[in-house]
Amino acid sequence: MVWQPVNESYRFYAQLSVSDPFHLLDYGNKVIRSIPPGGIYLCNSDPGRFVVTGLCENDQAGKPFFVISPNQLTDGLYQAYLESMHGASIRTLTSKDMQTAFEDYIEAAEQRAARHQSLRGEEFQMIDGRPQVKGPRAVFEITAALTRRLFDNNPGREFFVDFVNDGYPMEWMFPYFEPHGLTLRLNRTPVVSLSDKAISEDRSYWNKRVVSLLGDDFNDTNSFNELSQFTDRIYVQKDLSGLTGDRRFVASEPSWHGQASHLGVSAAWSHARAAIASVYLWRLKRANTDEERSRMRDEARIAFCQAFALCPSSRETISNFVDFLLATGQRLDALKLAEISAKLNPEECSELRDKLAAIAP
């Protein structure tokens, strides 16, 4: 358990060492100011966890709120750490919770395998008469179950989420999500339809932030050609002539210092916006009326454009953006943007570009 505060302190320093400190601290402080005291903040990204934790007034006392990493919930030592830190204030998870989540997942995976419907990233086998599951999906599914148990165990607390994993998102959360500045609010009851007020406030918040950082809000008046031209000029060619945004922020994009594998503050802002865009995309795919489909398509498009403009080298951002573009029949636009991401981050984005090139007309 001693390792956790050592790790969090070191990783906070590491984040500051590879990114622009001003904008990274600004990101963390804006998250902190947006979450009400006593809430529970579920942080899936490194900046969301380590920067916010490092800036909290008193992490042990949950001031101003409790910071919990869902990615660590399958780790028994992390569970013990949470209990020692917050057990007197919130209801943390127990070894029984972990065992139940594991057993429920094994049972469900076995049933899926019998129907030949195993999930992507899930490998089920029977070895010596005992079920065995391999693959990253197993960890994500158990993590999702544990996160749901934590949510149900603390009905009097407000929950907020910083980032939606693009590989295996926690599907149970999506009906409860609502945009909340840099984060997503996890409501107690499903949100039947996002209100006009919530959507308007979300767009207004991000338009102002993106204009201050990049000089353009990339709203619905922008074409994909303009977006691709901007990102190619600023991030690939590194031509800042005419940029009316913040040069320090633009230079925090990993392509500027050759560390695409260690994403900094530009990725933190991009991932936050892409997470909100993913909620709009989720609702777009399930909309029952033309009006709802049109509204969700517009908001997802704007949010994804802004996320991409903030950090086009991010694999998470381009993967989610491509999902949206393919869902709306825009293969060539998807390929055009994926090509830019591959130039900036060939190690992580080239495969996606090549797959799109193979299916694009």
Side-chain angles (χ1 to χ4, degrees), residues 79 83 91-99 146 153:
Q79 294 284 9
E83 175 63 25
R91 187 177 171 188
T92 58
L93 299 174
T94 65
S95 58
K96 183 178 180 180
D97 290 328
M98 296 180 68
Q99 184 65 26
L146 290 172
N153 283 352

Side-chain angles (χ1 to χ4, degrees), residues 181-339:
L182 262 170
T183 66
L184 290 162
R185 182 191 298 274
L186 195 59
N187 290 283
R188 281 289 155 190
T189 57
V191 180
V192 177
S193 178
L194 293 176
S195 68
D196 291 338
K197 180 175 182 292
I199 293 174
S200 176
E201 290 179 350
D202 176 55
R203 189 193 288 204
S204 176
Y205 175 87
W206 279 97
N207 283 353
K208 291 177 182 177
R209 292 304 304 162
V210 175
V211 166
S212 70
L213 296 173
L214 303 179
D216 193 328
D217 60 12
F218 298 94
N219 58 31
D220 54 356
T221 63
N222 292 95
S223 69
F224 286 104
N225 284 335
E226 291 173 325
L227 177 64
S228 63
Q229 289 170 7
F230 175 88
T231 50
D232 184 76
R233 175 171 58 86
I234 296 297
Y235 300 116
V236 178
Q237 301 176 38
K238 297 182 174 59
D239 177 6
L240 300 184
S241 60
L243 178 74
T244 58
D246 190 319
R247 295 191 173 207
R248 286 184 306 175
F249 177 84
V250 168
S252 73
E253 215 280 346
S255 64
W256 276 79
H257 46 80
Q259 293 182 327
S261 61
H262 197 160
L263 302 183
V265 65
S266 63
W269 282 96
S270 176
H271 292 168
R273 190 55 172 146
I276 297 169
S278 295
V279 174
Y280 291 132
L281 176 58
W282 184 88
R283 290 189 172 273
L284 167 62
K285 292 179 177 180
R286 292 158 180 79
N288 294 318
T289 67
D290 290 341
E291 180 183 3
E292 182 72 3
R293 274 187 288 273
S294 177
R295 186 170 67 149
M296 292 299 98
R297 185 183 300 111
D298 289 345
E299 296 308 321
R301 181 184 186 280
I302 293 169
F304 276 127
C305 285
Q306 292 175 337
F308 187 80
L310 288 165
C311 186
S313 70
S314 165
R315 178 186 60 81
E316 288 83 359
T317 295
I318 187 59
S319 295
N320 284 312
F321 199 176
V322 164
D323 188 18
F324 164 74
L325 292 172
L326 294 180
T328 52
Q330 300 174 80
R331 293 181 181 180
L332 290 179
D333 289 326
L335 177 58
K336 181 183 297 184
L337 299 183
E339 286 175 343

Side-chain angles (χ1 to χ4, degrees), residues 25-249:
L25 296 177
D26 182 53
Y27 166 84
N29 283 318
K30 280 183 167 56
V31 170
I32 288 174
R33 287 195 292 269
S34 72
I35 297 177
I40 294 179
Y41 172 60
L42 302 177
C43 48
N44 293 290
S45 67
D46 282 359
R49 178 183 178 187
F50 302 116
V51 176
V52 173
T53 299
L55 294 176
C56 277
E57 176 185 347
N58 188 330
D59 186 40
Q60 183 174 3
K63 291 184 179 180
F65 48 79
F66 301 92
V67 181
I68 296 177
S69 172
N71 295 331
Q72 302 298 310
L73 291 180
T74 56
D75 183 343
L77 288 178
Y78 182 72
Q79 294 284 9
Y81 169 68
L82 291 181
E83 175 63 25
S84 69
M85 289 273 286
H86 307 315
S89 302
I90 63 175
R91 187 177 171 188
T92 58
L93 299 174
T94 65
S95 58
K96 183 178 180 180
D97 290 328
M98 296 180 68
Q99 184 65 26
T100 299
F102 177 77
E103 292 174 351
D104 289 347
Y105 171 72
I106 291 293
E107 181 180 354
E110 185 174 6
Q111 292 173 357
R112 285 191 292 269
R115 300 191 302 267
H116 303 287
Q117 296 177 346
S118 293
L119 302 173
R120 179 173 60 89
E122 176 182 76
E123 300 175 29
F124 181 86
Q125 295 177 313
M126 293 295 294
I127 301 177
D128 297 329
R130 302 181 63 180
Q132 300 287 331
V133 179
K134 296 190 301 180
R137 189 59 176 263
V139 177
F140 279 106
E141 291 297 318
I142 295 171
T143 298
L146 290 172
T147 306
R148 180 60 188 262
R149 182 64 61 91
L150 181 70
F151 179 70
D152 292 339
N153 283 352
N154 295 276
R157 302 281 181 179
E158 292 187 86
F159 276 69
F160 300 85
V161 179
D162 76 324
F163 173 54
V164 179
N165 183 280
D166 69 301
Y168 311 109
M170 297 185 190
E171 289 290 340
W172 75 264
M173 290 184 175
F174 279 85
Y176 301 85
F177 274 146
E178 186 176 32
H180 182 78
L182 262 170
T183 66
L184 290 162
R185 182 191 298 274
L186 195 59
N187 290 283
R188 281 289 155 190
T189 57
V191 180
V192 177
S193 178
L194 293 176
S195 68
D196 291 338
K197 180 175 182 292
I199 293 174
S200 176
E201 290 179 350
D202 176 55
R203 189 193 288 204
S204 176
Y205 175 87
W206 279 97
N207 283 353
K208 291 177 182 177
R209 292 304 304 162
V210 175
V211 166
S212 70
L213 296 173
L214 303 179
D216 193 328
D217 60 12
F218 298 94
N219 58 31
D220 54 356
T221 63
N222 292 95
S223 69
F224 286 104
N225 284 335
E226 291 173 325
L227 177 64
S228 63
Q229 289 170 7
F230 175 88
T231 50
D232 184 76
R233 175 171 58 86
I234 296 297
Y235 300 116
V236 178
Q237 301 176 38
K238 297 182 174 59
D239 177 6
L240 300 184
S241 60
L243 178 74
T244 58
D246 190 319
R247 295 191 173 207
R248 286 184 306 175
F249 177 84

